[in-house]
Amino acid sequence: MGWAIALHGGAGDISLSMPPERRLPREAALRHCLRIGVDALQTQKHPLDVVELVVRELENHPNFNAGKGSVLTTVGTVEMEACIMDGKKNCGAVSGLTTVVNPVSLARLVMEKTPHIYLAFEGAEYFAREQGVETVNSSHFVTPENVERLKQAKEANRVQIDYTQPIQKDGKTENPIADGDGDSQIGTVGCVAVDGNGNLAAATSTGGLVNKMVGRIGDTPIIGAGTYANSLCAVSATGKGESIIRGTVARDVAALMEFKGLSLREAAAYVVEECVPKGKVGLVAVSASGEVTMPFNTTGMFRACATEDGYSEIAIWPSVQE
């Protein structure tokens, strides 16, 4: 048994031709956030503090679909959501945020400061002001890049999941922002961690789907879908929210371990390959004994992990052992 950590920056149809100027900043962000998480675990921080710390950092990075980088609804607004949970099944979730700089921290306050699990929209915003968390004008989140992503999604008449590739029409790219230039290559973020005592935690944060309907809620804040932790494992999922909700992805990983006796790797692989349509999901997970796994059935998933025994990995596309 030892500590372990894994994080993701979204899964989807990530082009192998993504140019360095798009790929390298994301890889650098993953490396930076992994280092932050490892340092925190090595200084005996509780996994709950670790996952919040890491996800906050990812929320502050404009090249991921969370916090500052959140994508826009069909009317050009942001509606952010997040969830956090520990191995004792304490959990908090938020949706419909428009001004909160770090949604994951508000989710933790819901967990610790209210008798509830989930707050959304006006109620969540009111609670944020009541708790004194950092808020900004909603225009802070409306970046030129995401305005352009919304424009392209509207022109293509589609709701766009993370890392969507372009529509081809008459041999030409219909949606150039989603092409191999990687400009639409933006994804949900999440982190899972376990310490040397087997304490577990998971956190996930997202802006949702490009061109989503106002009021749409995805898998991220739904306990057992995009985020879950119990005494056996911690899971953070990413991909097409509706498919992840239908598949109760995060909970199913834990259930297969609990009721079928599968290992973390076996359980996660089964859920990703058998329970959700191909091209719709990826996840990161750790077990109480310090195992780590990061399976996906999409083209790629921005991901990173490290364990106490010295193993570490930062990757996007399938590695040889996968």
Side-chain angles (χ1 to χ4, degrees):
M1 182 182 290
W3 60 257
I5 184 172
L7 53 139
H8 67 77
D13 190 8
I14 304 173
S15 173
L16 289 167
S17 62
M18 177 183 279
E21 63 268 23
R22 297 293 178 186
R23 173 177 53 83
L24 294 177
R26 292 168 172 83
E27 289 180 330
L30 291 178
R31 187 173 294 107
H32 170 68
C33 291
L34 182 64
R35 184 72 258 166
I36 287 174
V38 168
D39 288 347
L41 285 167
Q42 288 178 332
T43 56
Q44 313 302 312
K45 295 277 190 185
H46 192 281
L48 197 62
D49 297 325
V50 175
V51 297
E52 180 187 6
L53 183 67
V54 169
V55 171
R56 280 178 61 95
E57 197 71 18
L58 289 165
E59 287 173 337
N60 294 337
H61 198 290
N63 284 325
F64 294 111
N65 178 14
K68 174 64 175 172
S70 293
V71 298
L72 305 179
T73 69
T74 188
V75 297
T77 56
V78 294
E79 290 184 355
M80 300 171 285
E81 48 196 21
C83 183
I84 193 166
M85 188 169 187
D86 69 20
K88 296 179 180 178
K89 299 186 182 178
N90 299 306
C91 49
V94 289
S95 283
L97 300 181
T98 60
T99 69
V100 176
V101 172
N102 292 114
V104 69
S105 292
L106 188 63
R108 184 166 182 181
L109 287 169
V110 172
M111 178 183 81
E112 294 180 340
K113 303 292 187 180
T114 81
H116 309 305
I117 289 174
Y118 198 161
L119 293 179
F121 298 94
E122 292 88 354
E125 287 283 341
Y126 178 82
F127 178 67
R129 293 191 295 272
E130 186 180 74
Q131 293 296 310
V133 303
E134 184 180 3
T135 59
V136 293
N137 188 285
S138 59
S139 61
H140 165 83
F141 302 101
V142 183
T143 66
E145 294 82 5
N146 279 328
V147 170
E148 183 62 20
R149 288 182 181 107
L150 176 61
K151 177 176 177 285
Q152 296 290 353
K154 282 181 174 291
E155 289 175 355
N157 192 30
R158 65 180 176 182
V159 176
Q160 202 160 277
I161 68 171
D162 292 347
Y163 304 108
T164 299
Q165 288 299 306
I167 293 173
Q168 296 291 325
K169 187 176 181 180
D170 299 327
K172 296 181 180 180
T173 297
E174 181 78 2
N175 188 5
I177 197 169
D179 202 355
D181 67 1
D183 199 40
S184 77
Q185 307 297 280
I186 188 166
T188 293
V189 303
C191 181
V192 293
V194 61
D195 64 16
N197 297 315
N199 296 306
L200 289 148
T204 316
S205 184
T206 189
L209 305 178
V210 181
N211 201 28
K212 67 182 180 180
M213 292 176 65
V214 171
R216 179 263 185 186
I217 293 171
D219 66 289
T220 290
I222 297 178
I223 305 302
T227 311
Y228 190 74
N230 66 4
S231 62
L232 298 174
C233 65
V235 183
S236 174
T238 178
K240 180 64 183 294
E242 283 72 11
S243 297
I244 294 170
I245 293 169
R246 291 187 189 102
T248 57
V249 165
R251 169 58 185 160
D252 273 12
V253 174
L256 286 168
M257 294 179 70
E258 183 175 355
F259 300 119
K260 288 289 189 179
L262 271 59
S263 69
L264 177 73
R265 183 176 292 272
E266 292 168 338
Y270 182 86
V271 169
V272 166
E273 297 303 326
E274 303 295 334
C275 300
V276 181
K278 187 170 178 59
K280 301 295 187 184
V281 70
L283 64 84
V284 295
V286 292
S287 72
S289 60
E291 302 166 285
V292 62
T293 190
M294 304 186 292
F296 51 95
N297 67 14
T298 54
T299 304
M301 179 172 73
F302 279 95
R303 64 199 189 276
C305 72
T307 61
E308 189 169 348
D309 64 11
Y311 177 78
S312 66
E313 177 186 2
I314 297 173
I316 305 171
W317 298 284
S319 54
V320 175
Q321 64 263 36
E322 291 169 340

